[in-house]
Amino acid sequence: YFTEAQTAITIGETGVLTSNDSGNGNLLIAQQATLSQTATIQSLSFYVTTAGGNLILGIYDATGPNGGPGAKKAETNSFTPTTGWNTATVITPISLPAGTYWLAYLPSSSSLAFRLAYTGSAKWYSYTYGVMPATFSPSPTGSDLVHWSFYATLDTSPPPSDTTAPTTPTGLSATAVS
């Protein structure tokens, strides 16, 4: 959760889009998003119209071929989605520099339904439901001008500074070696 000193920003699509989509069970799908400043990833949110199965959300950098999804930066634990916005915290928050990223989702069931729009950039391939791979496929089987109601929340506040002075170690001993 955020304290007063923290500032939350989002990347991705925070609106509920109008077109329906489903049938993506066991597909790892990523949509492009731009981060304008250094920030720490906190959570990922995905809008669901019909709940079904389980879902994992993640974020990849753009080190893949032609700026596509590359290395996984963070992901959520598997969860059972409900109708409406589903927000899950990432397992390990990590600071991300400004740049292009890919928000990824991995549904276990094709009955899960959600919203999309025919703008943006997305890539996907078949992937058995489970922990997301460390690296996105360099040759995804699908690519389209599309994106979903899916966004990341990040914290822009700098990490706390270390204000504790070092202490003198105690309990040390040394033996001369001749």
Side-chain angles (χ1 to χ4, degrees):
Y1 298 128
F2 294 100
T3 65
E4 280 186 45
Q6 295 173 313
T7 305
I9 61 169
T10 60
I11 61 171
E13 178 60 64
T14 59
V16 177
L17 300 170
T18 56
S19 297
N20 293 315
D21 192 13
S22 64
N24 293 347
N26 291 311
L27 287 178
L28 179 56
I29 304 166
Q31 72 186 33
Q32 195 173 49
T34 302
L35 178 61
S36 61
Q37 66 187 91
T38 298
T40 301
I41 179 78
Q42 300 292 321
S43 64
L44 293 155
S45 301
F46 192 83
Y47 190 83
V48 171
T49 55
T50 304
N54 292 309
L55 187 60
I56 298 174
L57 306 174
I59 186 167
Y60 286 80
D61 66 17
T63 58
N66 303 312
K72 179 174 65 178
K73 305 313 281 181
E75 75 180 286
T76 68
N77 285 309
S78 173
F79 65 94
T80 302
T82 58
T83 302
W85 281 108
N86 290 262
T87 299
T89 57
V90 296
I91 297 167
T92 305
I94 183 171
S95 179
L96 302 173
T100 300
Y101 291 91
W102 293 82
L103 304 179
Y105 69 96
L106 178 61
S108 69
S109 170
S110 287
S111 67
L112 183 72
F114 29 88
R115 298 290 176 89
L116 65 76
Y118 294 98
T119 61
S121 180
K123 298 186 183 299
W124 62 86
Y125 64 98
S126 292
Y127 186 82
T128 302
Y129 187 80
V131 172
M132 289 182 167
T135 309
F136 202 88
S137 172
S139 54
T141 55
S143 180
D144 205 351
L145 299 177
V146 64
H147 74 282
W148 294 265
S149 295
F150 183 19
Y151 67 91
T153 301
L154 302 98
D155 169 22
T156 62
S157 64
S161 58
D162 180 359
T163 58
T164 306
T167 57
T168 303
T170 58
L172 301 177
S173 62
T175 304
V177 177
S178 55

